[in-house]
């Protein structure tokens, strides 16, 4: 399997509860390397551009407001099959469906406030990484 990079976001519900280190430990324990990371405060408009693919969904407005409700940690994870591996470590979108030991099973508060974002495919990963990072900031 090829070495990939994927965009991860530790969401405001998790930064608020001081869970950045515990979540990063799960990524690193799974063999994912954090090759770029920064803590930022999004505006609702910036969150809206990031989640544009969901703009017709009923939860879009709430999602954008939530993502701008506190700091987020945006990061690039690198490793063999990193995109799928990160989705495994994250667990299902709804924490009620997330497998034991996953980030969302252990930490998510609800289907909306579910602690982490992860890219879902190679094309979206490239686009999402470029939204937050320049090439110079990615140090493998
Ligand atoms: O994050 P993931 O790729 O697992 O799920 P998504 O279907 O791409 O949805 C993006 C985000 O929208 C989720 O992570 C939730 O924060 C939110 N969402 C929600 O608030 N209510 C839903 N019914 C589905 C998703
Ligand atoms: Mg998604």
């Amino acid at each position: 399997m090829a070495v990939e990079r994927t965009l991860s976001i530790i969401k405001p519900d998790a930064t608020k509860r001081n869970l950045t280190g515990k979540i990063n430990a799960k990524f690193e324990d799974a063999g994912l390397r954090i090759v770029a990371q920064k803590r930022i405060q999004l505006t609702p408009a910036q969150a809206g551009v990031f989640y544009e693919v969901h703009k017709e969904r009923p939860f879009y407005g709430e999602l954008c407001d939530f993502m701008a409700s506190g700091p987020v940690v945006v990061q690039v994870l690198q490793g063999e099959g990193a995109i799928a591996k990160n989705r495994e470590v994250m667990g299902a979108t709804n924490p009620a469906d997330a497998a034991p030991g996953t980030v969302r099973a252990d930490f998510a508060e609800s289907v909306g406030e579910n602690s982490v974002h992860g890219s879902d495919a190679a094309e979206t990963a490239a686009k999402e990484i470029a939204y937050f990072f320049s090439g110079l900031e990615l140090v493998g």
Side-chain angles (χ1 to χ4, degrees):
M1 200 180 287
V3 173
E4 295 174 337
R5 285 174 171 171
T6 191
L7 192 278
S8 167
I9 305 179
I10 302 178
K11 295 185 178 182
D13 68 283
T15 61
K16 190 167 60 190
R17 288 175 288 145
N18 224 15
L19 292 170
T20 299
K22 287 193 170 117
I23 292 172
N24 279 348
K26 285 188 187 284
F27 296 145
E28 293 185 337
D29 288 349
L32 293 164
R33 183 176 299 275
I34 302 164
V35 300
Q37 175 169 262
K38 57 191 172 190
R39 181 172 164 109
I40 59 173
Q41 171 70 55
L42 292 173
T43 65
Q46 288 167 337
V49 171
F50 180 76
Y51 275 121
E52 204 147 38
V53 64
H54 293 307
K55 67 173 180 290
E56 306 303 334
R57 311 276 289 276
F59 56 81
Y60 179 67
E62 212 177 313
L63 174 61
C64 296
D65 288 345
F66 164 59
M67 292 300 286
S69 69
V72 295
V73 175
V74 294
Q75 46 192 193
V76 179
L77 308 180
Q78 177 178 294
E80 295 275 325
I83 297 166
K85 187 177 282 181
N86 180 42
R87 299 287 309 187
E88 263 178 53
V89 176
M90 289 165 60
T93 308
N94 186 339
D97 302 328
T102 60
V103 174
R104 284 165 165 170
D106 284 359
F107 302 128
E109 300 193 298
S110 66
V111 65
E113 304 201 1
N114 59 2
S115 304
V116 279
H117 165 85
S119 307
D120 59 10
E123 206 171 85
T124 44
K127 193 173 159 202
E128 291 176 0
I129 289 168
Y131 189 60
F132 290 112
F133 295 97
S134 78
L136 285 174
E137 294 176 297
L138 307 177
V139 184

